[in-house]
Amino acid sequence: MEGLRVNFHTFGGEVKALDGVDLSLRRGEVLGLVGESGSGKSVTALSIEGLLPGNAEVVGGRILLEGRDLLKEKPGQLRSERLTKVAMVFQDPLTYLNPVLTIGSQILDILETDRRAFTHTVATARLQELQAAGGARTLTEAETRERERLQSLPPDGVLGKREFKRLARSYVVATLRSVRLPEPERIFRMYPFELSGGMRQRTIIAMALVRKPTLLIADEITTALDVTVQAQILELLRELKTEIDASILLITHDLAVVAEVCDRVAVMYGGNIVEVAEVNELFKDPLHPYTRGLLAAIPRPDAARGELTSIKGSVPNLIHPPSGCRFHPRCPQAFERCPLGKPPPVEAKPGHLVECFLYGG
Ligand code: SF4
């Protein structure tokens, strides 16, 4: 993401939600995006998914996915790129699951939306299944014929409707199993209300994984869950991190979640990325005054009794954002230069970027 700027047109005025966001995600890494509510984390994610509401406008910047600018793609091409490459998991699974359809049919729906795009995904899954079976026993004649047919499928080949549905069904069951859901065959036939909160969240993760995305965006996925289930979902993410060939953008306001699963972390404030570093480095040596404030605000059970530390003031009004560094009205280290211009990103240490006038001379 390079210099991404997004405005919202509202009755109160123009909300400058993203003010030139630069962010990069490496293949296979988990990047945490943290910040207070209203800092622009979810708008960043929705921009990538193309799910911004009608009153939002991208007024500048680029979103490059494997070198292609998503903002310049034609609508049809864009839909297909996003369908197969970017998947998003949201906070509240009940909002995104259809209450009157079974779990299985909802996930099958995604694959059947574009048989051409997903033919190779389901065919490869079936081939792997047959190969595994072939290693344990002799394949039947029908299975051998099926294997040969799938192996000879051309790169642009499309499976017939019936065969696609049959293979997609077993692929969906396998995906439900991969997110550690017990009895996936039974869950395939169940309705959302029959599942617990944690199982629903696993279902939503399976719904995202079934597309074999290059980028998985997880937006506050543990926030609505109780602590025990939260720990189970984080454990699942940690395991999936090594199993799936995808980059994960993990959006959260919870620094403990970041410490558990992320490789790097980006801190957002008032529509800007203000600091990016490896997780251990950021916790050991936070540079930006806002990051320091966030870390100092984590309650510690071993601390002496007294008042909890907090960052004074509140998030800025983005219709009339503060001039210069948007954090200056709340910053304990602000000086004359801070309201005069936006601080540029500075690599204060190798791989540790910060946007603050205290660094880079
Ligand atoms: Fe504080 Fe100035 Fe740095 Fe902004 S640029 S964080 S106001 S010291």
Side-chain angles (χ1 to χ4, degrees):
M1 203 173 264
E2 291 176 356
L4 189 70
R5 287 168 49 232
V6 174
N7 288 355
F8 283 81
H9 308 292
T10 69
F11 289 118
E14 195 99 326
V15 179
K16 293 142 197 110
L18 297 188
D19 178 37
V21 169
D22 292 319
L23 194 61
S24 63
L25 190 53
R26 302 170 192 151
R27 188 174 277 276
E29 86 167 340
V30 183
L31 177 73
L33 188 58
V34 295
E36 288 165 282
S37 302
S39 59
K41 307 184 300 287
S42 294
V43 176
T44 304
L46 294 175
S47 313
I48 304 172
E49 262 287 32
L51 293 177
L52 286 170
N55 66 337
E57 187 187 354
V58 177
V59 288
R62 307 198 294 167
I63 303 175
L64 299 165
L65 183 67
E66 295 178 331
R68 298 169 72 130
D69 188 350
L70 292 182
L71 298 176
K72 287 209 176 120
E73 297 280 7
K74 292 198 179 86
Q77 181 61 25
L78 180 65
R79 182 180 162 279
S80 148
E81 289 270 317
R82 283 176 166 146
L83 182 67
T84 53
K85 291 189 177 160
V86 187
M88 194 154 170
V89 183
F90 298 91
Q91 181 175 337
D92 178 10
L94 261 196
T95 318
Y96 298 95
L97 288 168
N98 188 329
V100 297
L101 292 177
T102 61
I103 297 297
S105 62
Q106 296 190 50
I107 308 184
L108 273 180
D109 258 3
I110 298 170
L111 298 172
E112 287 177 331
T113 309
D114 197 334
R115 206 157 20 107
R116 179 176 294 279
F118 292 114
T119 277
H120 273 271
T121 309
V122 301
T124 308
R126 178 59 180 155
L127 271 173
Q128 284 166 351
E129 213 176 278
L130 289 171
Q131 259 144 17
R137 60 175 169 84
T138 313
L139 293 181
T140 62
E141 245 179 62
E143 285 172 333
T144 311
R145 274 201 307 276
E146 185 183 5
R147 187 179 64 186
E148 283 163 7
R149 205 177 56 255
L150 292 177
Q151 276 169 340
S152 61
L153 196 68
D156 56 349
V158 183
L159 289 170
K161 212 170 173 182
R162 274 174 95 180
E163 185 171 23
F164 182 88
K165 189 154 192 163
R166 179 176 62 83
L167 300 193
R169 191 188 187 286
S170 75
Y171 171 54
V172 169
V173 171
T175 310
L176 289 171
R177 188 176 296 115
S178 77
V179 295
R180 325 295 188 247
L181 277 164
E183 301 181 73
E185 280 280 2
R186 201 162 71 88
I187 288 181
F188 186 94
R189 297 189 300 270
M190 287 168 90
Y191 289 89
F193 76 90
E194 296 178 280
L195 305 179
S196 68
M199 287 166 107
R200 281 186 213 125
Q201 193 56 286
R202 282 172 198 264
T203 305
I204 292 278
I205 294 174
M207 240 171 185
L209 295 185
V210 89
R211 289 150 57 185
K212 291 251 177 275
T214 310
L215 170 62
L216 177 67
I217 304 173
D219 190 1
E220 301 280 8
I221 56 167
T222 53
T223 308
L225 304 171
D226 67 51
V227 186
T228 333
V229 183
Q230 228 179 60
Q232 291 166 1
I233 295 291
L234 287 180
E235 181 61 31
L236 173 67
L237 264 192
R238 255 199 310 263
E239 289 168 11
L240 289 176
K241 184 172 135 176
T242 49
E243 285 172 28
I244 58 171
D245 182 26
S247 310
I248 303 178
L249 180 64
L250 184 73
I251 297 174
T252 178
H253 62 271
D254 189 343
L255 286 162
V257 170
V258 169
E260 289 271 331
V261 283
C262 295
D263 302 308
R264 282 192 309 143
V265 54
V267 182
M268 255 193 125
Y269 182 80
N272 288 305
I273 302 285
V274 294
E275 186 163 3
V276 185
E278 302 282 333
V279 165
N280 289 341
E281 162 69 13
L282 189 105
F283 279 84
K284 204 170 73 197
D285 189 17
L287 300 179
H288 197 280
Y290 176 63
T291 316
R292 287 189 185 155
L294 277 184
L295 289 171
I298 299 173
R300 294 182 199 283
D302 57 346
R305 286 172 71 102
E307 276 198 27
L308 292 170
T309 314
S310 64
I311 303 173
K312 69 174 171 96
S314 50
V315 286
N317 172 347
L318 294 180
I319 295 178
H320 303 291
S323 61
C325 170
R326 287 185 171 185
F327 188 53
H328 85 259
R330 304 174 74 187
C331 180
Q333 288 168 274
F335 57 107
E336 309 80 55
R337 189 178 172 189
C338 301
L340 302 180
K342 189 182 168 187
V346 170
E347 190 162 13
K349 293 159 88 179
H352 194 153
L353 288 166
V354 60
E355 288 191 7
C356 171
F357 287 128
L358 295 173
Y359 304 91

